[in-house]
Amino acid sequence: MTVTLLRSVLAACLFVVVGAFGVTGVANATLPDRTAHVAAAQPTESVQPGPEVDAPQQDQTGVTTETRRKLWIGGIALVLFALVYWRNKKRWDKWRKAKKAG
């Protein structure tokens, strides 16, 4: 079974599963009964339009130790990902050359 055929079979299976669990049909919209009373919230105080001039400000703490730790972990993960990607690319190129040669 080739990779292309396998992908086609998997795509067809996915299409069937999505079709089986998908919602089909036309929506049936009905108007609500207008005889019931609807309670709506009324404003209790008026709010001045525009931004608040004396809004509380957040403290400028800068970069915390937890943020630095997360940045280090993210950087290490990125370097490891790049190394694994580069290794796999080299192996793929080597395999492709060997297959092409013989």
Side-chain angles (χ1 to χ4, degrees):
M1 196 176 237
T2 63
V3 175
T4 308
L5 181 62
L6 182 64
R7 285 182 185 165
S8 299
V9 170
L10 287 174
C13 291
L14 179 66
F15 182 72
V16 169
V17 169
V18 169
F21 291 112
V23 178
T24 59
V26 179
N28 188 7
T30 58
L31 294 176
D33 187 15
R34 294 291 180 191
T35 58
H37 294 287
V38 178
Q42 299 296 322
T44 57
E45 62 184 43
S46 63
V47 178
Q48 297 296 329
E52 187 177 336
V53 176
D54 295 325
Q57 301 294 318
Q58 292 182 349
D59 294 336
Q60 297 288 338
T61 58
V63 180
T64 63
T65 57
E66 184 180 354
T67 305
R68 278 194 209 111
R69 186 179 60 84
K70 288 181 181 180
L71 286 171
W72 272 106
I73 291 172
I76 291 168
L78 187 64
V79 168
L80 290 175
F81 173 77
L83 288 172
V84 169
Y85 179 80
W86 179 62
R87 182 204 59 175
N88 287 346
K89 185 176 181 321
K90 281 178 47 178
R91 291 175 74 189
W92 170 255
D93 290 341
K94 183 180 174 183
W95 176 80
R96 195 170 21 170
K97 278 184 184 178
K99 186 175 180 181
K100 198 176 204 181

